[in-house]
Amino acid sequence: MKFTFSVLTILAVLGLVSCDKFKVTTTKDGDRLQIHEEGKSGKVGKDGDIISFDLIIKTATDSVIKDSYKEGQAFIVPIQKGAFKGSFENALYHIGEGDSTTVLVNADSLFKLMGQPLSPGIAKGSDLKFIVKMHKVQTRAEFEKEAADKKSLEPKTVADYAAKSMKNALKTAEGIYYTENSVGTGATPVDGQTVVVEYVGKFMDGKIFDQSNGQPFEVPLGQSKVIPGWELALKTMKKGGKSTFIIPSALAYGEQGGGPIAPNTPLVFDITLTDIKK
C-alpha cells in the first residue's frame, strides 16, 4: 500500500478546543507542544512507522481550517520528517499513542515553504494550532498484518451481518448480499441505460458516510462511473424498487479505501430506483 502525506496537502483543502491555558513545551528539535492528555502506552513513532490520528487545525484566533472529525476521516500515514524546524511533521515524533496534543506551527514558515502569501485571517507572525489525537502507532509489519487479518475475516463479517440484519437476504455470484424491501414493477436496467436513484451509504455500524438527501442521482450503467458493486447491485433491481445491499470491499474501495472509507471496508447501501432512462 502506498502512502503520501504532507501538511501542505492538509492546508490545500482549506480546523478542537481552546488550548491557551496549557503550558508550551519546546523540544530540543524546536517543536512546540501543548499536552492535554497523555496516553497509557507511551509508544511514539519512529521512521517507517504508520500512525493514525484525528486532527483539527485552527488559526491563532481559533477559526477552524480543517476538522477530520467532521469529515469522518482520520489520517493514516507514515511518519516522516518535515521540511523545516518546528514543522508539524517533526512534532509527530513526540506525540505518543493515546496522547491529545496541540502543535504550534509558525504560519510564516509554513506559507513560505508553500510559496504562497498568508491566507486571509492568518496574521503575520502568528501560530497555527494543529490539535492531534493520536490513535495508533504501528510498525509497518503490524499495520500490514492488521489489514490482512481484516481482509481475511471480511467474508464471515459480511455473512454474519446479513444473517443478523437483513431478512431473507439473497446473495449474488459476486458476493453481494441484498434484500428487496419493496420489489419494483418496472423494467430491470441494463448497460447503456441511465438509472435515477436515491440512496444512503452506511458502514456496518450504521454510521452514514454519504447520501443523496432526496436529490436524484443519475448513474450511466456500463461506463464505470460508480464502484463495481453499484453496477452489479442496480442490475438486480426493477424500476420503483427499494433494496438494501452489502457490497464487499473488493467491489467497493478495496485495499486503498477512499475519503472516509478505510481500506478493506464493506459498505451498506439503501437504494431506491426511481427511473430508467434510455
Side-chain angles (χ1 to χ4, degrees):
M1 184 179 296
K2 182 179 180 181
F3 298 95
T4 58
F5 172 68
S6 170
V7 70
L8 305 186
T9 304
I10 299 173
L11 290 178
V13 176
L14 312 173
L16 303 157
V17 296
S18 178
C19 55
D20 294 336
K21 66 179 181 179
F22 293 95
K23 179 182 177 181
V24 177
T25 299
T26 302
T27 72
K28 63 180 182 180
D29 301 317
D31 307 308
R32 293 176 294 146
L33 311 172
Q34 292 175 311
I35 301 172
H36 312 298
E37 180 182 0
E38 293 187 1
K40 296 180 180 180
S41 76
K43 187 176 182 181
V44 295
K46 57 184 181 299
D47 290 337
D49 286 349
I50 307 299
I51 56 177
S52 169
F53 60 91
D54 270 295
L55 173 68
I56 297 175
I57 307 175
K58 292 177 130 184
T59 67
T61 56
D62 287 333
S63 295
V64 177
I65 299 173
K66 184 176 182 65
D67 187 337
S68 68
Y69 295 96
K70 290 184 178 180
E71 295 169 5
Q73 182 184 8
F75 289 90
I76 303 174
V77 297
I79 193 166
Q80 61 185 30
K81 296 294 185 182
F84 62 92
K85 186 175 181 179
S87 69
F88 173 65
E89 292 92 341
N90 288 345
L92 290 172
Y93 287 85
H94 302 285
I95 302 176
E97 189 174 73
D99 288 3
S100 293
T101 303
T102 292
V103 179
L104 302 178
V105 178
N106 180 263
D108 295 351
S109 297
L110 183 56
F111 278 81
K112 180 179 179 181
L113 177 66
M114 296 167 63
Q116 297 179 10
L118 293 172
S119 295
I122 300 178
K124 182 177 177 59
S126 67
D127 292 325
L128 295 179
K129 305 173 185 178
F130 289 72
I131 309 168
V132 177
K133 176 63 178 180
M134 186 67 71
H135 300 305
K136 281 186 180 181
V137 176
Q138 298 173 290
T139 65
R140 184 172 290 272
E142 289 170 338
F143 177 84
E144 291 177 349
K145 182 180 184 303
E146 182 179 80
D149 290 345
K150 181 180 178 182
K151 183 177 180 179
S152 66
L153 290 172
E154 183 180 328
K156 184 179 186 304
T157 301
V158 170
D160 289 348
Y161 178 93
K164 180 179 180 180
S165 305
M166 302 174 70
K167 186 177 180 180
N168 300 321
L170 303 172
K171 183 181 180 182
T172 70
E174 297 83 7
I176 297 173
Y177 286 86
Y178 69 100
T179 184
E180 297 175 303
N181 304 315
S182 177
V183 180
T185 58
T188 297
V190 296
D191 285 348
Q193 296 179 321
T194 295
V195 298
V196 183
V197 302
E198 293 182 13
Y199 70 92
V200 176
K202 299 176 286 187
F203 299 116
M204 289 197 294
D205 63 4
K207 181 179 179 181
I208 295 173
F209 64 85
D210 190 21
Q211 57 187 319
S212 58
N213 290 313
Q215 298 297 316
F217 179 65
E218 296 190 359
V219 181
L221 294 180
Q223 297 185 25
S224 300
K225 298 295 185 181
V226 290
I227 58 175
W230 258 56
E231 293 261 2
L232 296 166
L234 291 168
K235 292 171 187 175
T236 69
M237 302 182 71
K238 293 182 179 180
K239 181 179 176 179
K242 299 179 181 180
S243 295
T244 298
F245 299 91
I246 309 178
I247 297 178
S249 63
L251 297 173
Y253 292 88
E255 296 184 357
Q256 295 299 316
I261 301 166
N264 300 314
T265 300
L267 304 174
V268 180
F269 287 96
D270 296 319
I271 299 178
T272 300
L273 179 53
T274 60
D275 197 9
I276 301 174
K277 298 180 178 181
K278 300 295 185 182

